[in-house]
Amino acid sequence: MLQIDLWKRILIWGVLVIGLILALPNLFYSRVEGHNDAVTAIERQGSTAELEEQAAQWPSFLPSGLVNLGLDLRGGAHLLAEVQVEDVYGARLEALWPEIRDALRPLRDQIGTFRLVEEGGAALRIQISQTEGQGAALEAIRDLAQPVSSTAAIAQGGANDIEVSASDGTITVQLSEAERAATDERTLRQALEIIRRRIDEVGTREPTIQRQGQDRILIQVPGIGSAQELKDIIGTTAQLTFQPVVSRGSSGDVEPGVGEEILPSLDQEGVFYTLDRSPVVTGEELVDAQPSFDQNGQPAVSFRFNTQGARAFGDYTAQNIGSPFAIVLDEEVISAPVIQSHIPGGSGIITGNFSIEESTNLAVLLRAGALPAGLEFLEERTIGPELGQDSIDAGKLATAVAFAMVLVFMVAVYGLFGIFANIALILNIAMLFGLLSLIGATLTLPGIAGIVLTVGMAVDANVLVFERIREELKTARGPARAISLGYEKALSAIVDANITTIITAIILFAMGSGPVRGFAITLGFGILTSVFTAIFVTRLLIVTWFERARPKTITV
């Protein structure tokens, strides 16, 4: 018979209330921004008076999560970048030179003097004075080779990272094909992660960052005003190194020695430093960087190295007291202080002519790490918010038309029971937005299509139940028994039909990306809320009505 326990009724109404509270901020605030906090979102879009008025009207103790609008609805920036993976080859070989130099020094009796005649690019070339010692030099350098740690190299039976050859006293060192392939893969993965961390750290919500092809990255960020603004966030290298100072001068035209480079001072015009190319420590060994202030109250950036970096930094400062030490950022010398004492602990501070904003941004970039290679932007677009507003308006119209037609159809076909189904449908949409707000989901045009589809599918379960009740009424078992059997016998069909659809949604979410996942999210959540409202909410409404009206007969 028709009976729902009190605790079940309280639970159903409780779930509905929670869903409505989670969904309300989306109606309460004038526009949805890509941020978890509704008050912060409003602060990014209106006048101060309007923001304070809206923020004051919404109780701070209630949830304030909003459904974020995607790039196609809110506007934003679209970039397609090509990673210059070849840049990494030269840096990789350049970092190998100190090891090669140390390996050849004990062989001076056999190979004579040696010097680096070509560096950078695709190979290192080392000239030795005694060609008869060429074999010993080859063997010493080959001993430095390491196995390539990549799936492809392992599948091919293993490969070393360098290839060494010699001719007429010139030894050529270059990366192997397996190492280049592994380096390309590492570079793309690192670039993806660093771009993602940089964009997330500056507060942007739900970017789309994914690999395309062998060496390209697609970047789409809602809410960014222009593609140039996004390029400024991503393209800043923030390559930090600490390098020994060889000399200081007023000209940058002097030819540097082998293993040296000349870099300009950041805040002293006309001042150039000759530095050892091999850094003592790099930004890759940083574990933290935070904006701070120096002893004079000027903006600065404090940093801290990992264990390896702290040891190298401490050892160098202990052995070079009284010598200048350059702090280099993006090939410019920020400062070159003289080492006054041993600096243990691996922490320090970077000072310069920074503003507070510049020190904050520098700390963000240092924490994210340096891009492993340069980026060439092949495609850039800015999508204006007015196009997004047109899409929103069209989506609203489509949803409203679908909603109205479903409401009219249900009332026309099922009468009073159709009204109960329509009430459940309205609550269904509210709960759907509540779930989307809870997880901070991003709504795109395909997502709107998923909501429209949910509106059409939401009454399917009710139709199955109502048709089953009609069949039971023909057996003259009475209205209460017909309603009870209608829900019991339609349950298996409802569950089976929706399980197949939610499996499809899960596969779309797992294997799709971007807009496809947006459609899958709204479709999947729509199925969950639809089943809940059809099986529990509609039944609770019908039972409550039946207990009050006690009709002798019913018409479905």
Side-chain angles (χ1 to χ4, degrees), residues 85 150 180-190 211 214:
V85 292
S150 71
R180 291 192 181 200
T183 299
D184 291 351
E185 183 68 23
R186 288 195 301 267
T187 301
L188 261 293
R189 288 177 180 269
Q190 187 178 356
R211 181 173 176 175
Q214 293 296 318

Side-chain angles (χ1 to χ4, degrees), residues 51-115:
L51 305 180
E52 291 178 352
E53 180 181 354
Q54 290 191 19
Q57 291 173 355
W58 183 252
S60 59
F61 61 87
L62 291 178
S64 57
L66 299 176
V67 177
N68 306 303
L69 296 186
L71 186 70
D72 49 0
L73 298 180
R74 182 153 57 100
H78 165 104
L79 293 176
L80 181 63
E82 183 177 71
V83 182
Q84 305 300 302
V85 292
E86 294 83 1
D87 296 349
V88 184
Y89 303 156
R92 173 81 171 78
L93 289 170
E94 186 177 307
L96 190 62
W97 165 240
E99 295 183 42
I100 295 176
R101 182 179 57 198
D102 293 341
L104 294 180
R105 277 174 179 164
L107 304 176
R108 287 186 183 275
D109 293 342
Q110 302 177 54
I111 65 176
T113 60
F114 62 90
R115 61 189 179 92

